[in-house]
Amino acid sequence: MVDGNTSREQLLETLRSVDTQTLITMALIVLIAYVLGRVITILLLKLSEKLSHTGRIKVELVIPIIKFVIYLIAFYFIFREIFKIFGPEIFLLAGLLGAAIGFGLKDLFSDIVGGLVITFEKPYQIGDKISIGNYFGEVTDIGLRATKLFTPDANVVTAPNSLIFKETVASANYGVSEMMVVIDLYIAGESHVETAMRILWEAVVSSKYVYISKEKPVILLHKALPFYTRLRAKAYVNDLRDQFKFESDVHTRAWVEFQKKGIMAPQLHILNIPSIEEKYESDATTRRNLGANVRGLKDSK
């Protein structure tokens, strides 16, 4: 039976015997896999932008799968090289790697596992608009370690894949190009609600961005609150990238008609703010009390 010290010495001796050519070969495999994955991703993304909404989503769906297939093939060739070097001692090396992962590379390992889960379980896909943690935006890339989001403020956020194990993910469209948009308008409580609802309805259904079908109807709701009334429209856009254009279009045209019909925005209700005279008297009292306190302190000295 071989003891642990002997095995470690054999492993170290084997590591010393690894030639430079083998290391270069493994580095080249990693480099080729990375470059090939990037080139295919860029080409497919450019192709998807030339297709229809549905075609774009379908092309973007296959990008993460292709990338992970490339990485798996690269891992196979690297593992084959490692097995040639270590032979049966590969299990001892695996133990050392496990310890390394446990102590120093656990976050990286967690991100890679998260990438595999995202690719095959699909909690979200490239092209989806998602909220994860404190981030919101369109998914533009799913890599081995991180997911890239394009936010409404034109920022590119790189979120680690391991976030799916810690945070709730909400996808606004989940693999399709249509997406529901919720639009809220607030009007004064004394406004004529039926007229306002009719104007909002016409603004929504006549927008060039709206998508209406039997399964995706337009829904209007209103809710009376103490100082104002909230009008809410729920409707779909044909392309999720039109979300903000649709909102802006409906807001603009609805408020133009509101003003023509005398429907106003809620006014600011000022409560419990004293008049100027009351405020002056209050300040004078405060000053008098402060002066008395100061005199009291001087007398006590």
Side-chain angles (χ1 to χ4, degrees):
M1 182 177 178
V2 181
D3 61 21
N5 291 331
T6 305
S7 298
R8 289 191 193 89
E9 289 172 1
Q10 290 175 349
L11 181 61
L12 289 173
E13 187 63 31
T14 306
L15 283 172
R16 293 190 193 100
S17 66
V18 177
D19 56 42
T20 308
Q21 184 60 42
T22 303
L23 295 176
I24 292 175
T25 301
M26 288 193 289
L28 281 176
I29 291 172
V30 174
L31 181 63
I32 290 171
Y34 175 77
V35 172
L36 189 60
R38 290 297 303 165
V39 169
I40 290 177
T41 299
I42 292 170
L43 291 178
L44 288 179
L45 284 176
K46 286 186 177 180
L47 173 65
S48 68
E49 294 297 329
K50 297 177 181 177
L51 301 176
S52 63
H53 309 311
T54 307
R56 188 186 75 215
I57 296 293
K58 288 180 178 177
V59 170
E60 291 174 345
L61 282 176
V62 302
I63 293 176
I65 298 174
I66 291 175
K67 288 170 68 176
F68 273 94
V69 168
I70 292 172
Y71 290 136
L72 284 176
I73 294 173
F75 178 77
Y76 165 76
F77 282 107
I78 291 174
F79 183 79
R80 195 174 67 171
E81 292 292 327
I82 293 174
F83 192 79
K84 285 179 185 175
I85 298 170
F86 293 97
E89 295 171 1
I90 189 69
F91 298 105
L92 180 58
L93 179 65
L96 293 176
L97 285 175
I101 289 171
F103 286 110
L105 303 176
K106 61 179 182 180
D107 290 340
L108 177 61
F109 185 72
S110 179
D111 289 338
I112 292 173
V113 173
L116 288 170
V117 171
I118 293 168
T119 301
F120 295 104
E121 194 172 298
K122 299 185 185 307
Y124 57 81
Q125 304 152 33
I126 292 179
D128 284 3
K129 277 202 172 180
I130 67 166
S131 297
I132 180 168
N134 296 322
Y135 308 114
F136 172 76
E138 182 181 342
V139 179
T140 57
D141 188 29
I142 300 173
L144 195 62
R145 193 194 65 79
T147 295
K148 290 185 178 177
L149 303 177
F150 188 76
T151 72
D153 298 327
N155 294 321
V156 177
V157 174
T158 302
N161 288 334
S162 59
L163 273 184
I164 62 163
F165 300 125
K166 308 169 188 172
E167 304 284 352
T168 301
V169 180
S171 177
N173 59 308
Y174 199 61
V176 297
S177 60
E178 303 91 19
M179 186 180 79
M180 175 182 276
V181 179
V182 179
I183 300 173
D184 286 334
L185 296 179
Y186 297 91
I187 59 175
E190 60 272 20
S191 301
H192 195 273
V193 175
E194 290 183 357
T195 302
M197 291 283 278
R198 179 179 55 77
I199 292 173
L200 179 57
W201 170 269
E202 291 174 353
V204 171
V205 298
S206 61
S207 174
K208 63 180 180 181
Y209 303 108
V210 72
Y211 174 74
I212 304 173
S213 68
K214 187 176 180 182
E215 294 78 21
K216 295 179 169 55
V218 175
I219 299 173
L220 291 190
L221 304 166
H222 94 268
K223 186 172 185 178
L225 296 164
F227 301 112
Y228 57 87
T229 297
R230 186 195 68 194
L231 307 181
R232 170 167 291 179
K234 295 183 176 182
Y236 286 82
V237 289
N238 193 31
D239 186 343
L240 57 91
R241 293 180 177 176
D242 292 334
Q243 173 191 359
F244 300 111
K245 295 176 185 173
F246 179 54
E247 286 184 41
S248 177
D249 181 48
V250 172
H251 270 267
T252 302
R253 294 189 295 116
W255 275 111
V256 169
E257 293 301 317
F258 283 173
Q259 290 178 351
K260 291 179 182 176
K261 300 295 182 183
I263 297 172
M264 306 301 293
Q267 300 300 307
L268 179 64
H269 288 262
I270 304 174
L271 301 175
N272 298 326
I273 298 179
S275 62
I276 295 176
E277 292 80 6
E278 291 174 342
K279 186 174 185 302
Y280 177 79
E281 291 177 2
S282 175
D283 290 344
T285 303
T286 302
R287 286 195 295 272
R288 284 197 298 272
N289 291 337
L290 195 61
N293 292 336
V294 171
R295 286 194 298 275
L297 287 173
K298 288 181 178 178
D299 295 340
S300 65
K301 291 178 180 179

